[in-house]
Amino acid sequence: MQHSKQILVTGGAGFLGSFLCERLLAQGHEVICVDNFFTGSRWNVAHLVSNPAFELIRHDVTFPLYLEVDEIYNLACPASPVHYQHDPVQTTKTSVHGAINMLGLAKRLKAKILQASTSEVYGSPDMHPQQEGYWGNVNPIGPRSCYDEGKRCAETLFFDYWRQHALRIKVARIFNTYGPRMHPDDGRVVSNFIVQALRNQSITIYGDGTQTRSFCYVDDLITGLISLMETSDEVTGPINIGNPGEFTMLELAELVLELTGSRSKIEFLPLPIDDPRQRQPDISVAKDVLGWTPRTPLREGLGKTIAYFDGLLSSNRSGHVAAE
């Protein structure tokens, strides 16, 4: 039987956070979920509220928080371009001030803390696939910089707290993740394609469709995060958590069309600024250190995600669903 811990999850009502809260509760821990509901949603954790081991607090991590916990998962930050570009200053503040506040809390409590970083720290990569030792190729003044550089600065802070205060840190670099509870209007490619296909609207591909992404199903990702948190204190990361299976946008669109039986046509639009051409994790460190590999094939994960969006659209409740 695992020792029950008090665990704080910031961004806990978001897409990834809600699944993490669910898994930690299932393991017998007490979970404090903190979210300001900018992109998170009460709907994502409504089924957990009756659990006496679960507590939901509305709070913005750019302000200090005083709690007693054993571990902290810092997931607070809008993760889709539509949301993080809506208020870029606030996005940077959430990454940087949020990291400072959570690191300060962890330091006071001598708690272990995990940062949900991102593959976006690699920018538009010159190295393929991306290894953790790669420093990245990031535009510091572009429209995506608030997220990319905010997350890079958060990693800097984590490692400075580790060096300066011997804080027990874990840094996970999360690659494209998908699954139920994604926001239908978050602008990310999986949710975009599925919603367009279910509505029989044109499937919009930016560029010529040859750019690639690697898609990790949410259950696999959560297993990776928890596995990283449970490693010994010597393991800090950063560690790539993602699925190395690489697909072009055209391949993804065609698979979504097949699985939905949609009548949608494919439409090509210009590529957005700083949109990376390739994104694929090298997960050899995760395999060696965590014994972790993703298990859910894209076809299977898409089937579950399509079923979720189908139910959502038919219930006309899309306004209540939220992203990471």
Side-chain angles (χ1 to χ4, degrees):
M1 177 69 185
Q2 257 191 334
H3 169 62
S4 177
K5 291 177 282 208
Q6 283 256 10
I7 301 176
L8 168 63
V9 180
T10 71
F15 162 46
L16 297 183
S18 60
F19 280 101
L20 178 60
C21 289
E22 214 169 62
R23 186 83 66 88
L24 294 171
L25 287 168
Q27 290 182 345
H29 301 300
E30 293 182 34
V31 175
I32 301 173
C33 167
V34 165
D35 208 295
N36 70 346
F37 304 118
F38 173 59
T39 57
S41 166
R42 284 187 175 83
W43 286 105
N44 289 339
V45 291
H47 61 298
L48 304 177
V49 172
S50 60
N51 188 327
F54 180 76
E55 185 178 354
L56 176 61
I57 298 173
R58 183 173 192 147
H59 180 82
D60 186 326
V61 295
T62 61
F63 298 95
L65 185 63
Y66 302 99
L67 296 166
E68 299 291 320
V69 293
D70 304 304
E71 290 179 355
I72 301 167
Y73 287 84
N74 186 36
L75 273 63
C77 190
S80 75
V82 167
H83 292 135
Y84 68 63
Q85 290 175 11
H86 171 71
D87 188 347
V89 171
Q90 184 63 23
T91 296
T92 304
K93 281 172 139 178
T94 301
S95 283
V96 178
H97 292 189
I100 290 167
N101 288 328
M102 290 306 112
L103 287 162
L105 179 63
K107 179 175 167 240
R108 281 194 297 278
L109 300 173
K110 296 181 168 54
K112 202 189 295 190
I113 181 167
L114 181 145
Q115 167 69 1
S117 192
T118 172
S119 61
E120 297 297 327
V121 300
Y122 298 121
S124 186
D126 298 321
M127 169 187 273
H128 190 76
Q130 291 84 57
Q131 297 173 348
E132 289 87 348
Y134 176 53
W135 290 357
N137 177 36
V138 177
N139 176 0
I141 57 168
R144 299 171 71 105
S145 306
C146 57
Y147 184 69
D148 303 359
E149 295 289 34
K151 289 286 193 179
R152 283 164 69 95
C153 185
E155 286 197 15
T156 302
L157 287 161
F158 266 69
F159 278 90
D160 283 337
Y161 266 79
W162 171 67
R163 281 185 287 261
Q164 195 171 331
H165 303 295
L167 198 64
R168 295 181 295 156
I169 67 162
K170 311 286 177 186
V171 175
R173 288 180 178 161
I174 297 171
F175 281 69
N176 293 59
T177 305
Y178 70 99
R181 299 184 203 152
M182 291 182 83
H183 197 293
D185 303 314
D186 70 1
R188 289 192 254 191
V189 66
V190 172
S191 47
N192 261 12
F193 285 5
I194 290 174
V195 170
Q196 288 168 341
L198 289 172
R199 289 174 172 160
N200 289 307
Q201 297 170 340
S202 292
I203 290 189
T204 51
I205 292 182
Y206 296 94
D208 59 7
T210 58
Q211 69 270 37
T212 65
R213 293 292 183 274
S214 307
F215 302 103
C216 186
Y217 188 63
V218 61
D219 286 353
D220 293 332
L221 182 96
I222 298 304
T223 300
L225 294 182
I226 292 173
S227 300
L228 176 55
M229 182 64 104
E230 290 174 349
T231 53
S232 65
D233 292 350
E234 291 71 44
V235 178
T236 59
I239 292 184
N240 290 338
I241 307 285
N243 193 322
E246 191 180 10
F247 296 87
T248 67
M249 296 300 92
L250 201 51
E251 286 172 329
L252 177 68
E254 286 166 351
L255 185 53
V256 168
L257 285 172
E258 179 196 331
L259 293 174
T260 55
S262 172
R263 301 187 304 275
S264 297
K265 299 283 184 279
I266 293 173
E267 180 184 351
F268 295 92
L269 296 173
L271 203 60
I273 297 171
D274 295 337
D275 191 62
R277 289 283 315 161
Q278 291 179 303
R279 185 70 86 225
Q280 183 191 20
D282 181 321
I283 61 166
S284 46
V285 176
K287 285 178 180 174
D288 294 344
V289 176
L290 311 179
W292 177 86
T293 51
R295 302 184 182 280
T296 310
L298 183 61
R299 179 178 287 270
E300 180 188 328
L302 280 178
K304 294 176 180 177
T305 311
I306 288 165
Y308 166 78
F309 277 114
D310 199 20
L312 182 72
L313 295 177
S314 59
S315 71
N316 291 321
R317 230 186 39 188
S318 58
H320 297 297
V321 182
E324 176 190 344

